[in-house]
Amino acid sequence: MSSFDEMDAFESASLSARAMAARPAPYLDGLNPAQRAAVEQMDGPVLMLAGAGTGKTKALTTRIVHLMATGRARPNEVLAVTFTNKAAREMKNRVGQMLGQQVEGMPWLGTFHAICVKLLRRHAELAGLKSNFTILDTDDQLRLLKQLVAADGIDDKRWPARMLSGIIDGWKNRALTPDKVPAADAGAYNHRGVALYTQYQTRLKELNAVDFGDLLLHMVTIFQTHEDVLAQYQRWFKYILVDEYQDTNVAQYLWLRLLAQGHKNICCVGDDDQSIYGWRGAEVGNILRFETDFPGSHVVRLEQNYRSTPHILAAASGVIAGNEGRLGKTLWTEATEGEKVRLIGHWDGEEEARWIGDEIEAMQRGTRGMDPIDLDRMAILVRASHQMRAFEDRFLTIGLPYRVIGGPRFYERMEIRDAMAYFRVVTSPDDDLAFERIVNTPKRGLGDKAQQKIQVTAREHGVNLVEGARILLAHDGLGGKGGAQLRRLIDGIDRWNKMLRGPAMPVQTDSEVLDDESGPARVEYGPPEISHVELAEIILDESGYTGMWQNDKTPEAPGRLENLKELVKALEQFENLQGFLEHVSLIMDNESDDGGAKVSIMTLHAAKGLEFPAVFLPGWEDGLFPSQRSMDESGIKGLEEERRLAYVGITRAEELCTISFAANRRVFGQWQSSMPSRFIDELPEDHVEVLTPPGLYGGGYGAAGMAATASPKMQDMMRSDLHEKAAEANVYNSPGWRRLQARSGQRGVSQPSEARNVVIDMNAVSSFVMGERVFHQKFGYGAVIGIEGDKLEVDFEKAGIKKVVSRFLTGCDDVPF
DNA sequence: TACATAGTAGTTTTT
DNA sequence: CTACTATGTA
């Protein structure tokens, strides 16, 4: 089926390539020699190794322009892939800018996923799907898996569906269909993994749905099994460009390799030192292997950095040098020295937040002869999102405007997902997951029992849930209130569905229209009588969904109604509901923000690709950063990825980079003491200035301040001394330690000898003794009257005698010791 | 069926 | 400590 003719018709550019080729190429002037080489080497495989801040987007966009200007390819013959919509948008804008808006658009510039959707819609039938398939998000995916796991009689406790979801994603990332899963993985998920994966894929087909991983997987499979289809695209895409190549997974790699096989005109841009998505299936190996994968390739290194000061670059280089097997780059800059990277230790997380808050305010005013820095130009980059809370709390109390990037996203909010589930049921009745979501929202008196009946009926008749419900009602299978309510819902869905499609028209024969966006569609209905925006309002209204929130008295209800309004407004920008739903499933970013100047708080992952004059990097403690879990799960590989994360963090800074750590932190309500991160030891001391935290009197920690004036050698010693001191200070002063110490006679608790990562569990089983006064969140104060393993019998003053797990008890601080 | 309570688990997350 | 899930009770 092909639609290359259509592509021509629909997507041909208004650019006259030949006309441009005749002129000189002024766009090449602003490039440095390396960038220029990367642009001008158009044929054959090219690997552009682009360090942080070396102008790779510029090189990439110029290359696209050059391809068109020299007449090598038309805009619709260039395949340019990115990972994020943001990157795609930026590239589109910049190409457009350089060409002076002469190009209509590049239909094949987009994210891997967006491009695969487009392709898969054209060839859906080859994957056993209809071209209007739905794209499930991770939430739907998990719910579906839960159903399958439950049906299999598996104990969700021991084998959580989330785990299975991770395993399946892992397989899909490696482009493994169920039949290709290697024998070594057969034991996965209690030996049921492969079977459930098979069931899951079958179920997805029944639902006419795909998950994110499928978009790639299906296309790779189609390319592998349908030579003709592959050949078409190999011919069509004359040049291929890939951004952030270090983040590609196996499936993406195979997809690219298949497409590039013919002409091998593939240009991959990336930086092995910025590969931070290994945990998501990215294979640094892809970029490391490029030269062997594509023999005869040209490698271009972009090493001139236009972003950061020499101190910052040196600090980043020092840290990343600890990794092995790098392709290796040496970043350099013409910039003048600037400030050293600043390092500061704090007593605890709250103090760290306080200090950073003060520092930001000082910098905003302009301090120590430095020009004032706008809040917009400062960022706090954390390893884990839970670190953000300390900053939010602090900034709220001092009234410092901040913005959290990458928090709960608009389209992930409950009310938005509910509303969209309604739209999905109306637009694609096979979408059982959407139906399940809304069948009892708002409450319709349809509980587990009733839903069970609908499921059974649907399965018996081999139809979707909407039809199942209809049959059930027709056979009087559901009486009472629930039945009547269900009737109303089904009637509603039918009515809305009619409004969506417009009045039925006599079926016109031979009128298959190929719509480039959504694939072939048979014309059977007249134009809708109302707009999709109105329809959306009607659906939300008549279903009682809006009413549900209007009647809700909880404080967040008004906000949710506001969000629903926003959702309806967002609909205006789309031609129909389907278009909107697809947009939402692929575009999960949340760009909307009121303009005011604010400090940005985000994770290191979210910061990739961004830059700020002033950057704060808090929480550099072993266990937090590098993350313990990362190291436990992936060992040295995990540690190296953490190190790359540190590299990414430091290289975000243009002028000023401040790294900090806290000796104590409250984690899940318990105090935890940590050593400063090992990455701190890896910072080259010549480029680091150690600051003294305020309010610390003598001993312990002041050493850090003194170190600043000491000789480098001495500094080094003192810095490692700082580790010891911090650990000691913590251990002896934390409430938990005092408690353990008090009881060490009875319990034989010994002093931890290893300094690294000392965790004190105040609520450890062994720390409770008979007769001890304890506190329980719900029951209040009481005395321990019995101990059985980790269960304690406690006589509460108000609540009486209860058996409680020791975790839920806290000893009282007034215990004498 | 719906709500309250007990229990449990708890990175990073471009699409 | 918090946010979610499973269980028990009205």
Side-chain angles (χ1 to χ4, degrees):
Chain A
M1 77 156 240
S2 194
S3 35
F4 284 108
D5 298 335
E6 276 84 1
M7 282 202 277
D8 253 333
F10 281 108
E11 296 160 353
S12 81
S14 53
L15 167 77
S16 165
R18 262 158 247 298
M20 275 203 75
R23 281 185 262 131
Y27 52 83
L28 291 174
D29 293 345
L31 302 178
N32 67 36
Q35 290 171 329
R36 192 161 175 151
V39 169
E40 292 187 313
Q41 179 57 52
M42 287 186 290
D43 296 316
V46 175
L47 176 62
M48 199 195 300
L49 280 177
T54 54
K56 64 153 199 202
T57 309
K58 187 176 181 183
L60 206 46
T61 47
T62 310
R63 187 181 163 93
I64 294 175
V65 169
H66 196 52
L67 287 171
M68 299 182 205
T70 53
R72 300 295 182 104
R74 292 173 299 169
N76 53 347
E77 293 168 337
V78 174
L79 174 66
V81 218
T82 65
F83 273 84
T84 66
N85 292 295
K86 205 169 145 199
R89 222 178 301 133
E90 186 179 345
M91 213 179 285
K92 231 171 222 185
N93 288 340
R94 283 171 75 162
V95 169
Q97 235 165 39
M98 289 177 82
L99 292 173
Q101 315 291 346
Q102 290 176 79
V103 173
E104 262 306 296
M106 298 179 53
W108 302 107
L109 190 168
T111 63
F112 275 102
H113 296 268
I115 290 170
C116 281
V117 171
K118 215 166 182 173
L119 294 172
L120 193 55
R121 294 241 187 258
R122 291 168 186 270
H123 304 286
E125 79 284 359
L126 299 181
L129 295 162
K130 289 182 263 175
S131 75
N132 66 341
F133 59 80
T134 2
I135 304 160
L136 300 186
D137 60 26
T138 43
D139 213 74
D140 292 320
Q141 186 187 358
L142 195 63
R143 269 188 311 136
L144 184 48
L145 282 171
K146 273 198 175 139
Q147 290 173 9
L148 295 174
V149 167
D152 221 48
I154 290 173
D155 179 13
D156 191 74
K157 279 269 162 53
R158 284 196 50 180
W159 303 98
R162 186 172 289 284
M163 180 195 262
L164 178 61
S165 144
I167 293 166
I168 293 179
D169 278 347
W171 284 330
K172 289 189 175 178
N173 286 336
R174 287 153 61 200
L176 299 170
T177 45
D179 54 302
K180 294 220 185 81
V181 173
D185 287 5
Y189 199 71
N190 201 17
H191 290 89
R192 298 290 301 139
V194 182
L196 285 163
Y197 180 22
T198 313
Q199 289 176 32
Y200 173 65
Q201 293 304 96
T202 310
R203 190 80 187 102
L204 283 177
K205 266 176 205 170
E206 285 166 9
L207 293 168
N208 191 30
V210 298
D211 62 22
F212 283 125
D214 280 339
L215 293 172
L216 258 302
L217 181 63
H218 283 320
M219 281 321 298
V220 169
T221 312
I222 290 172
F223 285 160
Q224 282 171 341
T225 52
H226 294 81
E227 263 179 64
D228 52 326
V229 177
L230 174 63
Q232 285 179 317
Y233 289 101
Q234 282 179 338
R235 261 180 274 121
W236 185 262
F237 298 133
K238 298 216 166 83
Y239 288 87
I240 301 174
L241 297 96
V242 191
D243 193 16
E244 307 280 17
Y245 189 61
Q246 77 281 352
D247 288 335
T248 49
N249 61 32
V250 172
Q252 288 156 341
Y253 162 76
L254 288 174
W255 185 82
L256 287 168
R257 209 181 61 177
L258 285 162
L259 284 171
Q261 240 163 32
H263 47 57
K264 306 223 166 52
N265 292 328
I266 182 167
C267 172
C268 294
V269 188
D271 179 359
D272 50 318
D273 292 335
Q274 291 188 65
S275 164
I276 56 175
Y277 283 102
W279 52 274
R280 249 182 134 280
E283 291 275 342
V284 215
N286 288 346
I287 193 165
L288 300 178
R289 270 194 343 263
F290 187 85
E291 288 172 88
T292 25
D293 281 342
F294 296 98
S297 59
H298 295 262
V299 179
V300 183
R301 284 185 159 76
L302 304 194
E303 297 178 305
Q304 182 176 3
N305 177 288
Y306 297 97
R307 178 188 294 158
S308 314
T309 64
H311 281 312
I312 290 169
L313 288 184
S317 304
V319 171
I320 200 65
N323 275 6
E324 308 224 324
R326 300 169 52 220
L327 290 171
K329 291 177 304 308
T330 318
L331 294 186
W332 60 278
T333 176
E334 289 173 350
T336 46
E337 271 213 338
E339 297 244 359
K340 289 185 176 181
V341 168
R342 305 185 306 164
L343 175 66
I344 184 166
H346 301 281
W347 174 249
D348 62 18
E350 277 78 52
E351 190 196 284
E352 183 182 51
R354 215 176 304 131
W355 185 85
I356 290 180
D358 291 348
E359 193 66 9
I360 287 172
E361 288 184 326
M363 282 161 52
Q364 193 187 6
R365 286 192 303 269
T367 180
R368 290 177 295 134
M370 285 180 66
D371 288 335
I373 303 177
D374 201 62
L375 287 182
D376 269 334
R377 296 154 62 76
M378 299 188 230
I380 299 168
L381 312 182
V382 297
R383 172 68 248 261
S385 50
H386 63 75
Q387 289 173 262
M388 293 180 181
R389 189 177 327 182
F391 293 98
E392 292 195 60
D393 284 352
R394 181 64 191 160
F395 295 173
L396 242 27
T397 54
I398 63 174
L400 183 67
Y402 68 90
R403 127 183 57 215
V404 170
I405 304 218
R409 290 177 282 206
F410 184 72
Y411 294 118
E412 276 169 11
R413 291 170 206 210
M414 190 210 316
E415 64 278 15
I416 300 303
R417 293 178 45 78
D418 286 342
M420 297 211 307
Y422 270 103
F423 302 159
R424 277 163 57 187
V425 169
V426 174
T427 54
S428 53
D430 279 341
D431 196 335
D432 286 356
L433 290 163
F435 182 78
E436 280 167 28
R437 191 180 173 97
I438 52 100
V439 67
N440 200 31
T441 310
K443 295 264 148 55
R444 294 192 175 88
L446 298 161
D448 286 347
K449 275 271 164 56
Q451 292 187 39
Q452 216 46 221
K453 276 189 185 172
I454 300 174
Q455 294 273 5
V456 170
T457 315
R459 208 160 311 148
E460 273 170 4
H461 292 78
V463 293
N464 63 46
L465 291 181
V466 180
E467 290 309 312
R470 202 190 307 279
I471 295 168
L472 186 68
L473 287 168
H475 291 54
D476 276 336
L478 199 69
K481 233 174 161 180
Q485 294 259 58
L486 182 61
R487 168 96 270 151
R488 278 196 55 194
L489 176 66
I490 299 292
D491 287 347
I493 292 173
D494 288 343
R495 197 167 57 248
W496 306 321
N497 186 264
K498 276 205 193 88
M499 294 179 181
L500 174 79
R501 298 187 298 186
M505 304 246 290
V507 179
Q508 295 172 5
T509 47
D510 293 346
S511 65
E512 209 172 67
V513 174
L514 194 76
D515 171 351
D516 192 63
E517 287 309 316
S518 55
R522 231 170 276 278
V523 180
E524 290 174 354
Y525 300 92
E529 280 157 355
I530 57 167
S531 79
H532 63 287
V533 181
E534 287 170 289
L535 176 59
E537 279 171 339
I538 289 172
I539 293 173
L540 294 180
D541 224 33
E542 293 186 356
S543 64
Y545 192 71
T546 323
M548 177 181 104
W549 289 115
Q550 280 162 350
N551 296 330
D552 192 310
K553 303 172 291 297
T554 55
E556 55 265 27
R560 297 195 192 272
L561 282 167
E562 200 53 44
N563 287 338
L564 288 172
K565 250 190 227 156
E566 228 178 285
L567 176 77
V568 173
K569 215 170 80 198
L571 276 170
E572 288 170 10
Q573 293 170 28
F574 293 84
E575 281 189 23
N576 51 45
L577 279 182
Q578 287 98 323
F580 177 72
L581 290 172
E582 173 158 323
H583 167 84
V584 167
S585 56
L586 290 176
I587 301 192
M588 296 299 267
D589 58 355
N590 195 8
E591 286 292 290
S592 69
D593 200 307
D594 52 321
K598 293 173 177 145
V599 189
S600 299
I601 306 176
M602 68 187 94
T603 62
L604 287 161
H605 285 90
K608 193 167 85 163
L610 304 178
E611 56 187 20
F612 300 90
V615 167
F616 290 90
L617 301 170
W620 281 42
E621 295 126 43
D622 248 45
L624 179 58
F625 187 44
S627 128
Q628 192 59 51
R629 191 153 153 191
S630 206
M631 294 186 292
D632 290 349
E633 277 174 11
S634 318
I636 190 78
K637 276 197 138 185
L639 177 63
E640 293 208 335
E641 183 154 312
E642 296 286 309
R643 191 175 279 118
R644 292 192 289 267
L645 213 37
Y647 175 80
V648 166
I650 298 170
T651 53
R652 296 310 96 194
E654 295 169 359
E655 304 287 337
L656 194 59
C657 177
T658 310
I659 295 170
S660 60
F661 59 92
N664 298 291
R665 214 174 268 282
R666 249 185 119 84
V667 183
F668 307 141
Q670 295 173 46
W671 281 102
Q672 183 175 310
S673 311
S674 309
M675 294 301 300
S677 170
R678 64 192 73 188
F679 298 149
I680 286 177
D681 297 334
E682 297 172 6
L683 292 167
E685 58 196 38
D686 292 349
H687 303 281
V688 175
E689 178 194 2
V690 182
L691 306 180
T692 318
L696 275 181
Y697 38 91
Y701 252 21
M706 283 149 60
T709 54
S711 69
K713 195 85 200 151
M714 190 64 192
Q715 270 188 32
D716 205 40
M717 283 175 59
M718 292 183 98
R719 217 185 299 145
S720 49
D721 187 44
L722 174 69
H723 287 199
E724 297 294 317
K725 286 262 161 55
E728 281 173 20
N730 281 323
V731 166
Y732 294 124
N733 287 307
S734 76
W737 175 249
R738 291 205 310 271
R739 287 173 43 74
L740 285 178
Q741 211 176 25
R743 295 196 181 79
S744 57
Q746 302 155 15
R747 294 277 151 183
V749 179
S750 61
Q751 178 172 345
S753 53
E754 284 296 315
R756 229 168 242 283
N757 239 17
V758 180
V759 179
I760 311 249
D761 185 354
M762 306 192 344
N763 305 320
V765 181
S766 58
S767 70
F768 291 101
V769 293
M770 289 290 283
E772 183 174 354
R773 189 172 145 82
V774 293
F775 179 76
H776 185 274
Q777 190 68 41
K778 295 251 154 58
F779 305 137
Y781 290 95
V784 177
I785 57 171
I787 302 177
E788 298 164 29
D790 66 334
K791 288 221 169 61
L792 299 180
E793 204 166 11
V794 180
D795 185 4
F796 290 102
E797 287 165 9
K798 299 235 165 68
I801 296 170
K802 303 251 183 224
K803 276 201 182 153
V804 196
V805 178
S806 62
R807 290 199 55 197
F808 295 94
L809 291 172
T810 323
C812 304
D813 281 340
D814 49 330
V815 180
F817 55 89

